[in-house]
Amino acid sequence: LASLIEKAMENTLTLYQMIKESSDFEAAHTPQCNILCFRFNPEGKERDESLLSELQKNIRKALLREGHGYITGTTIEGHYWLRVTVINPLTTQKEFGVLLEKIRQLAQKST
């Protein structure tokens, strides 16, 4: 059980690193467990927090509607962020890459 928990944490850190290295995503925090809050924030767009929050909500709804994974959301300091809980120890960087790319695609459709 301990190795499964450690692997979930390692996977969460992998996703965090991918987000940190991306110009169009940002993490709300450095993960301390298998939960990460992040948001899509397209490069060059104004940082209108209410519009960014609305975009995250639209992305989440579209992900769920299209069946591309289950992501929740949360409010941090009055702004909406996507929230992922990494549980499956078999999740790889490839799956995270697919998720981030799908978010990019859905964001373009909703703007």
Side-chain angles (χ1 to χ4, degrees):
L1 184 60
S3 66
L4 294 176
I5 293 169
E6 288 171 5
K7 182 62 176 164
M9 181 59 193
E10 180 183 310
N11 287 344
T12 307
L13 289 171
T14 296
L15 176 58
Y16 171 73
Q17 192 62 38
M18 291 173 72
I19 287 171
K20 263 183 67 171
E21 293 172 1
S22 173
S23 64
D24 54 357
F25 283 93
E26 60 184 314
H29 58 91
T30 303
Q32 301 297 311
C33 62
N34 65 325
I35 297 170
L36 178 63
C37 298
F38 68 99
R39 67 183 176 182
F40 179 74
N41 184 9
E43 187 175 20
K45 283 211 169 187
E46 272 184 38
R47 291 187 60 103
D48 181 320
E49 292 293 336
S50 63
L51 290 177
L52 279 175
S53 288
E54 196 61 34
L55 177 60
Q56 307 320 301
K57 291 175 186 178
N58 291 338
I59 289 168
R60 180 177 179 272
K61 288 176 192 173
L63 277 170
L64 295 175
R65 184 175 54 249
E66 294 187 13
H68 294 291
Y70 186 79
I71 291 182
T72 61
T74 192
T75 302
I76 301 172
E77 296 180 3
H79 308 295
Y80 191 84
W81 293 72
L82 300 172
R83 181 180 183 267
V84 65
T85 304
V86 180
I87 296 173
N88 186 342
L90 301 178
T91 304
T92 67
Q93 187 170 354
K94 180 181 176 184
E95 283 89 18
F96 291 138
V98 169
L99 174 65
L100 296 179
E101 187 55 37
K102 182 46 98 173
I103 289 172
R104 287 180 181 106
Q105 292 169 5
L106 293 171
Q108 287 180 345
K109 289 181 185 178
S110 72
T111 54

